[in-house]
Amino acid sequence: MKHEWDWSLADLSSIPKNGRKVFSCFSCGGGSTMGYKLAGYEMLGNVEIDPQMMALYKRNHKPRFPFQIPIQEFKAIPDDQLPAELFDLDILDGSPPCSVFSTAGKREKKWGKEHHFREGQAKQTLDDLFFDFLDVVEKLRPRVVVAENVRGMVVGLAKGYVALVKKRFEQLGYKAQLFLLNSATMGVPQKRERIFFIAHRRDLKLPKLSLQFQEQPVLYKEIRSGRGKPLDKNGTTFKRWVQRRPSDCSFGDITERVEGKESNFNTIIIHDERVPNTIASNSWFVRYDEPYFISATDIIRIQTFPRDYDFMGADVQYVCGMSVPPMMMKRIAKQIYQQWFAKLPI
C-alpha cells in the first residue's frame, strides 16, 4: 500500500477538480501550490522574486500566469494589465518571508530594517512584506485569503504585529481567523509549527472555520531511506554526534551543550522512533544511530514533496525548508472547500 506522503506529480492528473481557483504569492518552489492541487484546486499562477525558485516553479507546475517580480511591483501593475481571472479568485495564497519573526536569534533588532532575504535579491524590509501582500488582497478582492508564517509571529512583542495584520484585514472587509498548526498532526512526518491567517470576505457570510487535525504521527523509521553523506570524523558535527545523549531525544539540538552556543537550528539528531524536526534550510540533520546525514530522499519525504519533483540542481534542503509541506496545505485546503466553498455557487 502506497503511503500518502509517497506521491508523484503525475498523480495530480487523476485528482477530481473542485472548480475553485488559486493564485500564490511568495510561492518559492510551490509547496502550497502542490497542496492545493492535491485538494482539487486549479492553480492559476504565482508571484516570486527569486529567479531560481521561479525556474523550479515553472518546471514543476507550469503556471498560466507567472510573475517573476517583487510583490511591490506586482501590486503596482494597473488592473487592466492583469489577467481577468485574477479578479475572480477563490483563494489568494501567500507565505511572506518570515525570518525576522523567527524565534532564532535577535529577531527584534531586525525589525524595520532592510535585509537581503537571499543573495542576488534586492534588499527588502521583510516585516513590511505581509502588508504588501494585504495590498494585493485589496487589489484582487479574493473570496478567501490564506497566509502562512512562522510561529514566532504569536510570541512576545510580535503579537502586536499580529494585531495590526488583523486590523488591516478588518479594514479590507475580511473576517480573519488565526490558527497555530503542527504538521505532525496532519499526516506529515515532521514537527513543523506554523501559523495561518485564513480570512473570507464578509459579504459571503460564511461560518467560522474549524481546523482540528488528529492524523496518526509518521515516525522517521517509516520514511527512512538510503544514507546521506558520512560525517567528517575530524569535524565539529562528528564531535557533536559522538557526545549525543538520550536526553537529546526531545528537540535534538546539541549545539548549545557541546559548544556553549545559543542555537535552535543547527545540528539536529533524528531518531527512528520520533517524528523528525522541522526541515530548515540552515540545519544539519544527522541520524542518531550512525554517523551519517539523512538522505536527500529523506528530506523530500519529510517535507512531503513528490518523488519526481525536479530540483534542477538546486539544494534539496533549501527548497524544501523554504516551502510549506504540500500535505499540510492539502489538509487545510480540503477543509476550506468542505466548510466554505461547497456551500457557495461557483
Side-chain angles (χ1 to χ4, degrees), residues 24 26-36 46 48 53 56-57 61 305-306 309 319 322-324 326:
S24 183
F26 311 103
S27 61
C28 286
S32 290
T33 288
M34 291 182 280
Y36 288 112
N46 67 314
E48 173 56 48
M53 293 300 107
L56 289 171
Y57 195 95
H61 310 305
F305 261 50
Y309 188 93
V319 176
M322 296 301 297
S323 302
V324 178

Side-chain angles (χ1 to χ4, degrees), residues 43 70 91 135 290:
M43 292 299 302
I91 297 179
D135 288 342
E290 58 180 5

Side-chain angles (χ1 to χ4, degrees), residues 29 38 96 158 235 286 298 330 332 344:
L38 287 166
V286 180
D298 284 352
K330 174 187 175 181
I332 296 169
L344 295 175

Side-chain angles (χ1 to χ4, degrees), residues 12-172:
L12 295 174
S13 61
S14 63
I15 293 175
K17 302 299 185 288
N18 63 25
R20 300 297 176 172
K21 298 179 180 180
V22 186
F23 185 76
S24 183
C25 300
F26 311 103
S27 61
C28 286
S32 290
T33 288
M34 291 182 280
Y36 288 112
K37 288 184 175 181
L38 287 166
Y41 292 76
E42 178 186 355
M43 292 299 302
L44 296 180
N46 67 314
V47 178
E48 173 56 48
I49 190 175
D50 188 304
Q52 185 182 40
M53 293 300 107
M54 180 58 92
L56 289 171
Y57 195 95
K58 287 180 176 179
R59 174 69 64 88
N60 290 281
H61 310 305
K62 299 176 176 58
R64 288 170 57 195
F65 306 119
F67 293 85
Q68 187 185 312
I69 54 177
I71 193 76
Q72 298 88 349
E73 291 184 19
F74 176 79
K75 73 180 186 181
I77 297 175
D79 290 357
D80 61 2
Q81 294 181 25
L82 286 173
E85 292 95 322
L86 300 190
F87 295 92
D88 189 32
L89 287 175
D90 292 295
I91 297 179
L92 178 66
D93 168 79
S95 297
C98 51
S99 59
V100 291
F101 295 108
S102 172
T103 54
K106 307 299 183 182
R107 61 181 191 153
E108 286 83 357
K109 292 184 179 180
K110 301 176 183 178
W111 295 353
K113 299 178 181 178
E114 289 189 331
H115 301 278
H116 280 295
F117 179 60
R118 190 180 181 203
E119 288 303 318
Q121 293 184 10
K123 281 189 175 182
Q124 299 186 84
T125 306
L126 300 187
D127 36 326
D128 285 347
L129 292 180
F130 210 116
F131 292 97
D132 292 322
F133 174 69
L134 290 173
D135 288 342
V136 177
V137 173
E138 182 177 24
K139 182 182 186 70
L140 301 181
R141 303 294 299 166
R143 294 173 181 84
V144 171
V145 181
V146 178
E148 176 260 2
N149 219 295
V150 293
R151 179 181 176 274
M153 274 191 75
V154 294
V155 175
L157 296 177
K159 291 180 181 178
Y161 186 92
V162 170
L164 292 176
V165 170
K166 287 184 175 180
K167 182 178 180 180
R168 180 65 173 143
F169 268 120
E170 292 174 4
Q171 292 171 341
L172 295 176

